[in-house]
Amino acid sequence: AFVQWLPTWYEAILTLLTEERRRAQTVFGADLAPEIIAKVLSECFRPIISSFKSRLFTIYPPTAHEGNNGNQNSNNNDSGSLESICAAYESTLQFLSEAYDQMATMEETTSTTT
């Protein structure tokens, strides 16, 4: 399911960023590398934004809390589950924090070498 897959995908993106950071510094130099990595990160998400949105709606549709007296859909573990959307949110926050730390470290390294 999406909720189990999301953290592993984020981990793959962080690994990609680490490798691309090294490559960008080698190819483009320390001054341009942060900008290049920011573009790589953006391009990782751009093509899949609509897919992410539809998967999140599947996990917790906007109307999941309406009309069913708070009952969850028991036929699908992810559908209507507040816990699932919270897990996706938590994975996303963790990813963004780690990605930010990588970018900040890169920026600090660039600032001290110039």
Side-chain angles (χ1 to χ4, degrees):
F2 180 70
V3 174
Q4 287 78 32
W5 169 82
L6 190 60
T8 59
W9 187 77
Y10 282 148
E11 187 62 37
I13 295 298
L14 288 171
T15 301
L16 170 79
L17 286 177
T18 300
E19 186 62 27
E20 289 301 318
R21 175 179 146 185
R22 184 186 61 76
R23 289 180 184 154
Q25 287 177 334
T26 300
V27 173
F28 300 107
D31 291 341
L32 291 176
E35 182 180 340
I36 300 296
I37 295 305
K39 288 180 181 182
V40 167
L41 183 59
S42 174
E43 287 302 309
C44 286
F45 287 94
R46 187 185 52 80
I48 60 171
I49 288 174
S50 63
S51 175
F52 262 57
K53 182 178 178 180
S54 69
R55 289 178 186 269
L56 290 173
F57 279 143
T58 299
I59 291 171
Y60 196 74
T63 58
H65 62 281
E66 298 172 4
N68 64 1
N69 296 326
N71 294 331
Q72 302 294 328
N73 182 348
S74 59
N75 295 333
N76 182 342
N77 289 343
D78 288 340
S79 182
S81 170
L82 183 57
E83 290 82 12
S84 294
I85 197 71
C86 288
Y89 178 74
E90 183 178 328
S91 294
T92 302
L93 284 180
Q94 182 177 356
F95 166 76
L96 291 173
S97 175
E98 292 178 27
Y100 176 82
D101 288 346
Q102 280 191 18
M103 296 298 289
T105 300
M106 185 178 196
E107 186 65 31
E108 289 172 8
T109 303
T110 302
S111 296
T112 58
T113 60
T114 54

